[in-house]
Amino acid sequence: MKLLHSTGFRLMILLFLYTSTGAAQYPDSLMHVLKNYRQSDTIKVNLLSDVSLQFQYINIDSMLLLAQQGYSLAENLKYRKGMAECLKLQGIANYNLTNNDIALALY
């Protein structure tokens, strides 16, 4: 009976409900915004990095691809903050893909 009233058990249930419902829809919503955004500016770089981060636990390959696209655009725009964020995301993706040498170079 104590288990049902413990804080840890409640947090586990809330986490399960969160991940099984709306949390999985968030990357899809951001992808929709990204696909409909036509300008090539810093906002698009930020969208690419946000979407990339959302794919961290869903699809690492997509995370890496989006971070690479964001870096390329940020580099063309000379948007240093965006370049740094996208390099960090590429490093995380490569680390998760066990490409440790590449990840280290990107950090």
Side-chain angles (χ1 to χ4, degrees), residues 8-26:
F9 182 74
R10 288 180 186 167
L11 287 174
M12 261 187 357
I13 295 297
L14 286 174
L15 182 62
F16 172 76
L17 291 174
Y18 173 75
T19 57
S20 65
T21 57
Q25 294 175 0
Y26 188 65

Side-chain angles (χ1 to χ4, degrees), residues 14-68:
L14 286 174
L15 182 62
F16 172 76
L17 291 174
Y18 173 75
T19 57
S20 65
T21 57
Q25 294 175 0
Y26 188 65
D28 292 337
S29 299
L30 281 176
M31 281 298 288
H32 179 71
V33 171
L34 181 61
K35 286 179 182 178
N36 291 324
Y37 194 80
R38 300 288 178 219
Q39 296 176 335
S40 293
D41 56 9
T42 59
I43 294 172
K44 187 162 188 172
V45 173
N46 293 335
L47 276 170
L48 285 162
S49 69
D50 288 346
V51 175
S52 174
L53 183 61
Q54 292 304 313
F55 277 98
Q56 181 175 3
Y57 301 110
I58 299 169
N59 187 332
I60 298 296
D61 293 328
S62 294
M63 178 189 188
L64 181 59
L65 180 65
L66 290 163
Q68 289 168 337

Side-chain angles (χ1 to χ4, degrees), residues 65-82:
L65 180 65
L66 290 163
Q68 289 168 337
Q69 291 173 357
Y71 179 79
S72 177
L73 178 57
E75 189 175 37
N76 289 340
L77 297 170
K78 297 177 180 30
Y79 178 41
R80 296 174 60 91
K81 182 179 177 185

